[in-house]
Amino acid sequence: MMMPLKILNFKPDEELTQEMKKAVISSSEALLHGSIPQAIDEGMGGSYFVIDRNSGQKIAVFKPSDEEPCAPNNPKGLTGKIGERGIKNGVRSGEQSIREVAAYKLDHNHLAGVPPTLLVELKFPRSHVQNIHPSLGKFNGNNSSNNNNNNMFENERIIGSFQLFAPSFCPSSDLSFSLFSLKDVQAIAAFDMRLINQDRHDGNILVRKNEDHEFNLVSYKLIPIDHGNCLPDNLNVSCFEWTWLTAPQLKNPIHSDVLNSIINLNIEKDVEELKQLGVRSECIRTMQISATFMKECCYLFKNKNITLYDIASMMCRSDFETPSELEKIVYKTNWMTLKELLHVKAKGNTFDDVFFKKFKQQIRFYLETKNPKFNL
C-alpha cells in the first residue's frame, strides 16, 4: 500500500524533530483511515489543517503548491499557470511551498521561531478541483458513474509544504508590539530582512501566551508563519510590507543573540541549502545581497550603535515606487563591476567575485558619507 504522506527533498543526514516525527506518523494514520484535511478559509491560497483522528486536534498546516495564488487549482478564484507571476512581484506561482521550507531551514538555531516545515506529498480528495476543471471529467479514463475507484480527484497526490500547527493565543495585531520581548521582535525583523520577506503583516505573526500563576506574571512568545513570499528575485520591498518597522524595539541596540547571528552568517552554506531546494538562482542572489548588506553593516558599525531600524530603513522603499538605498547601492555596484570586467586586469574573475568585493566597499562608503554617526 502506498503511504498517504511522503517526505520530499529530505537529506540522509537530516533528522526530524520529535514533534515532527509524531506529526508525520499521526497525519499518515489519519489519512490512511479516511480523514480529510480541513480547508482553511483565511488567506488567498488553498491551505488545510491536518487533523488527528483520535483527539481531533490540529496536527499541521498543509499548503499545496498548485493551490497558491495564481496557480491552476487555487480555490479562491485566483487561478493561473504554474511559473507565472504570483501575487507578489518576484515570487512565481507554485514557488511558495519551497519558500515555506526554505524559511525554516534558514532560521538558524530557531532564533526567529519558524515552526518546523517539510516539503511533502499527500494523498486526499479535493472536490473543488473538479469544479475548477469540469472539462477533465469526473473519472480518469472511464466515464462510467458506477466506477468510483477511478475517481481522478480522489486518488491524486498533492505536493506542498507541511508545517507543524502552532497553537496561539492571538495574532500580533490584537496586542501592542510594546508587550513583546526585544529579542523576539528583532529576531523576526532580522529574519525578514535577510530573506526580503514581501508579506510580513501583523496577522502572520502569532502570539503564544505564557502565564505564571504563582507569581501572577504573563509573557508572550512570537511565532512567525506564512513565508511563501520571501526570497523574491528582486529587492523590491516597501516599508508597508514590514509591520515590525514601527515597533519600538527596532530602534534599541541590537540584542546580542541577534547581532551575533547576523555577524556569523554562513552565506555560502545558505546558498547551497537553497540550491538543493531548487530555489531559482536570481532569488538566491537576492538573499546573498541582503545577507551581505546586513552582515557588513553589523560587523563594521556594531560599536557605533547601529540599529535594525537603521539597516531596515536602507533596505526597504519609503513608498512603492522610489528605489531603496540598498537598491541604489546595488545598481551602482553592478555598473562598477561591469566596468572593471572590461579591464584586462579583471580577466579570470567572475561577475560575483568582483561584485561582492565592490559591494562591501560601497556599503562602507555609503554609510560613512550618509550619516556621521557611522564614521569610523
Side-chain angles (χ1 to χ4, degrees):
M1 177 185 293
M2 187 175 287
M3 293 297 292
L5 189 157
K6 179 182 178 182
I7 301 174
L8 306 175
N9 274 22
F10 198 69
K11 294 182 288 188
D13 59 338
E14 284 187 283
E15 284 191 20
L16 295 178
T17 65
Q18 288 301 315
E19 278 186 305
M20 184 58 87
K21 286 180 183 178
K22 184 178 178 181
V24 167
I25 293 170
S26 298
S27 298
S28 297
E29 290 177 350
L31 293 167
L32 275 174
H33 287 83
S35 175
I36 299 176
Q38 174 186 330
I40 302 172
D41 292 333
E42 291 82 4
M44 303 177 78
S47 55
Y48 301 82
F49 289 127
V50 183
I51 309 296
D52 186 279
R53 73 185 188 95
N54 296 315
S55 67
Q57 298 295 310
K58 296 166 183 172
I59 303 171
V61 175
F62 177 64
K63 296 182 179 180
S65 59
D66 66 351
E67 293 190 28
E68 295 173 10
C70 305
N73 293 325
N74 179 271
K76 312 290 176 68
L78 300 170
T79 55
K81 295 180 180 179
I82 293 290
E84 291 184 339
R85 172 174 171 166
I87 206 70
K88 293 284 185 177
N89 180 25
V91 178
R92 298 174 184 171
S93 61
E95 292 185 335
Q96 291 192 5
S97 293
I98 287 292
R99 279 154 177 73
E100 295 280 3
V101 179
Y104 172 63
K105 288 182 177 290
L106 266 58
D107 181 16
H108 304 307
N109 299 315
H110 312 301
L111 188 62
V114 178
T117 311
L118 295 171
L119 187 69
V120 304
E121 184 181 71
L122 291 192
K123 178 183 176 183
F124 66 92
R126 296 185 294 179
S127 58
H128 81 273
V129 176
Q130 185 178 350
N131 296 328
I132 295 174
H133 306 290
S135 62
L136 292 177
K138 184 175 181 181
F139 301 110
N140 186 12
N142 190 333
N143 289 325
S144 170
S145 59
N146 296 321
N147 190 355
N148 291 327
N149 291 328
N150 289 329
N151 191 324
M152 67 183 294
F153 302 105
E154 184 175 321
N155 294 317
E156 66 177 333
R157 301 187 69 83
I158 311 151
I159 293 175
S161 62
F162 179 89
Q163 185 173 87
L164 279 185
F165 176 71
S168 63
F169 172 65
C170 66
S172 65
S173 56
D174 289 0
L175 299 171
S176 167
F177 261 91
S178 62
L179 295 172
F180 309 139
S181 75
L182 176 74
K183 181 177 177 180
D184 274 9
V185 175
Q186 290 192 356
I188 292 173
F191 181 74
D192 287 341
M193 291 158 63
R194 180 161 61 99
L195 272 59
I196 306 293
N197 188 352
Q198 296 180 323
D199 188 31
R200 176 61 74 209
H201 53 81
D202 53 12
N204 60 25
I205 301 178
L206 304 180
V207 182
R208 185 171 293 162
K209 186 178 182 180
N210 301 310
E211 296 183 273
D212 187 329
H213 297 289
E214 182 179 355
F215 296 99
N216 196 29
L217 296 174
V218 175
S219 63
Y220 300 99
K221 175 66 181 174
L222 298 181
I223 307 166
I225 59 171
D226 294 344
H227 296 99
N229 286 306
C230 67
L231 298 168
D233 58 21
N234 60 69
L235 293 164
N236 182 351
V237 60
S238 82
C239 60
F240 309 109
E241 293 165 314
W242 284 347
T243 188
W244 38 255
L245 193 59
T246 56
Q249 293 90 335
L250 265 287
K251 294 186 178 181
N252 288 345
I254 304 176
H255 189 283
S256 58
D257 289 348
V258 177
L259 181 64
N260 289 332
S261 73
I262 296 171
I263 291 175
N264 295 319
L265 279 172
N266 187 334
I267 299 174
E268 291 74 21
K269 186 176 179 180
D270 288 347
V271 167
E272 289 305 312
E273 189 74 67
L274 294 178
K275 284 181 180 178
Q276 291 180 22
L277 284 172
V279 176
R280 285 185 288 128
S281 59
E282 310 97 292
C283 305
I284 295 175
R285 194 167 191 275
T286 299
M287 185 279 298
Q288 286 179 277
I289 290 171
S290 59
T292 300
F293 184 74
M294 294 174 66
K295 188 171 181 176
E296 289 298 305
C297 286
C298 288
Y299 178 75
L300 290 171
F301 304 103
K302 62 182 177 180
N303 296 324
K304 295 287 184 176
N305 294 323
I306 193 168
T307 66
L308 286 179
Y309 180 82
D310 293 327
I311 302 171
S313 297
M314 293 184 283
M315 294 179 68
C316 66
R317 297 182 172 191
S318 58
D319 54 48
F320 290 107
E321 301 298 329
T322 308
S324 67
E325 299 305 317
L326 174 58
E327 288 177 279
K328 294 174 184 176
I329 295 170
V330 169
Y331 178 82
K332 182 177 181 181
T333 307
N334 278 332
W335 180 82
M336 294 174 68
T337 301
L338 288 171
K339 185 177 179 181
E340 180 163 321
L341 285 172
L342 294 174
H343 196 279
V344 65
K345 291 182 180 179
K347 285 187 176 180
N349 290 325
T350 67
F351 183 92
D352 278 356
D353 287 339
V354 179
F355 174 86
F356 282 104
K357 180 180 178 181
K358 290 193 171 296
F359 183 48
K360 293 175 182 178
Q361 294 170 350
Q362 285 302 304
I363 293 169
R364 179 167 182 162
F365 174 78
Y366 172 81
L367 286 175
E368 290 183 332
T369 56
K370 177 76 174 180
N371 194 329
K373 166 183 175 180
F374 300 126
N375 287 338
L376 291 177

